C-alpha cells in the first residue's frame, strides 16, 4: 500500500477509525448506490450499516468479508471492499461501528450509480467486439 515515494510502500496517510463502542458516520446529500473502502485489519466485530433516512437497508460485518476476520494487521488482513446497492433502495448514510478495539477505514469512495456491470450491456459489448474481430480477420 502507499505511493512510490513512501519508504517500503508504507502508507503514512491519515485513516479513519471508530473505536470501541463508538461509531463513524458518512452522511450524503443524495441517495448513493455504491460505497467502497479499504477495510483495515478486518475483525468479526466490525459492522457497516447502510441507512435510507432512519431505515436500515443493509449491513455487512467483517465475517461477510472474510471467514477469517481475526484482526490481522498485515496485508492479508486488509481488503478493498466494493459494496453495491442491489436492492434499489439507495442509502444516504453509512455507519461504521465496532464493539471492540477499532474499525480502520481508508480510501473511501461513493457514487450515486451502481458499479455492478449490466449483464445485457456486457453481452452486447462482447458481441460487438467479436463482430469487430471477425470483420478484421476477413480483411487480413
Amino acid at each position: 500500500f502507499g505511493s512510490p515515494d513512501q519508504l517500503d510502500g508504507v502508507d503514512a496517510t491519515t485513516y479513519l477509525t471508530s473505536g470501541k463502542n463508538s461509531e463513524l458516520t458518512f452522511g450524503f446529500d443524495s441517495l448513493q448506490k455504491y460505497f467502497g473502502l479499504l477495510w483495515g485489519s478486518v475483525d468479526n466485530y466490525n459492522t457497516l450499516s447502510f441507512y435510507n433516512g432512519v431505515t436500515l437497508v443493509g449491513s455487512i460485518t467483517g465475517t461477510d468479508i472474510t471467514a477469517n476476520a481475526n484482526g490481522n494487521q498485515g496485508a492479508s488482513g486488509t481488503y478493498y471492499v466494493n459494496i453495491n446497492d442491489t436492492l434499489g433502495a439507495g442509502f444516504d448514510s453509512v455507519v461504521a461501528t465496532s464493539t471492540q478495539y477499532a474499525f480502520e477505514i481508508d480510501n473511501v469512495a461513493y457514487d450515486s450509480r451502481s458499479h455492478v456491470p449490466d449483464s445485457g450491456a456486457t453481452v452486447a459489448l462482447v458481441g460487438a467486439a467479436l463482430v469487430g474481430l471477425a470483420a478484421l480477420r476477413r480483411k487480413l
Side-chain angles (χ1 to χ4, degrees):
F1 304 107
S3 66
D5 56 340
Q6 292 175 329
L7 296 177
D8 300 320
V10 175
D11 186 351
T13 60
T14 303
Y15 63 91
L16 301 172
T17 184
S18 69
K20 182 177 180 179
N21 296 321
S22 67
E23 63 184 40
L24 174 65
T25 302
F26 297 90
F28 306 102
D29 292 334
S30 61
L31 291 178
Q32 303 300 305
K33 299 282 188 173
Y34 166 80
F35 190 77
L37 72 154
L38 184 65
W39 191 324
S41 62
V42 178
D43 289 297
N44 61 359
Y45 44 79
N46 296 152
T47 302
L48 279 178
S49 300
F50 296 82
Y51 291 90
N52 185 331
V54 296
T55 304
L56 177 68
V57 294
S59 62
I60 297 174
T61 67
T63 53
D64 294 321
I65 305 306
T66 177
N68 192 26
N70 62 5
N72 181 340
Q73 295 181 357
S76 63
T78 300
Y79 296 84
Y80 198 87
V81 179
N82 295 295
I83 302 157
N84 288 288
D85 170 25
T86 58
L87 301 176
F91 52 90
D92 58 11
S93 66
V94 179
V95 180
T97 57
S98 182
T99 59
Q100 302 291 319
Y101 306 108
F103 185 164
E104 299 89 12
I105 298 169
D106 204 357
N107 303 340
V108 173
Y110 57 92
D111 199 336
S112 60
R113 299 165 295 165
S114 178
H115 288 241
V116 176
D118 176 24
S119 59
T122 302
V123 170
L125 182 60
V126 170
L130 291 174
V131 169
L133 288 173
L136 181 61
R137 184 173 181 194
R138 286 185 184 163
K139 287 186 178 187
L140 295 176

